[in-house]
Amino acid sequence: MMTSRPLVATRSSLPIGMLCLVAMLLGCTRPAAVGIDTTGTARLDGTALEMGMVVFSPVGGGDSHSGTILKDGSFRLYAIPPGRYRVAVQTSMYAGMAAAAEKARGGGGGQPVSMRELEGTFRAVPKKLEDPTTSGIEVDVRPNAPVAIDAKST
């Protein structure tokens, strides 16, 4: 009949166990991505957009970053690594809301729209601007340098 013995750490097994623990912890952590917080403005044909999103896609590949366009045309991006980005300006997600607001007011177009904390006048951008690969907009993100997006409808 077999009897079990309690597992006891000996002096020689402690350093090996500690070494394994340290190796496991180091192997399971990744260095945090270095990023900056930055601001910018989004304009279409020289006029500030009042609602929408900007999507920044790194030219060399990697994770995209996005920010909400506020009523004054400004946006903020958090923890974005400095570098060169292709940019999309997206407003189509607000089209249904804008249509419903215009219908409720009896038409007229170009009416201010409110949704949660966002409000402004809806302006559709051309479909090509909604995708970073077709927008033709490229910008550099640098520390302490606001980003200006000047999109053209033609």
Side-chain angles (χ1 to χ4, degrees), residues 33-93:
V34 176
I36 60 170
D37 294 349
T38 192
T39 60
T41 56
R43 300 172 78 76
L44 178 65
D45 298 326
T47 304
L49 287 166
E50 295 186 25
M51 58 177 50
M53 285 187 73
V54 290
V55 179
F56 284 57
S57 181
V59 169
D63 294 334
S64 293
H65 297 265
S66 62
T68 301
I69 300 170
L70 302 177
K71 188 174 181 172
D72 63 355
S74 68
F75 61 87
R76 179 176 289 278
L77 300 169
Y78 298 94
I80 183 170
R84 186 101 178 133
Y85 289 83
R86 290 185 181 95
V87 179
V89 179
Q90 301 175 340
T91 61
S92 61
M93 72 281 287

Side-chain angles (χ1 to χ4, degrees), residues 96-113:
M97 179 182 67
E102 287 182 22
K103 184 177 179 183
R105 290 188 181 107
Q111 297 293 316
V113 175

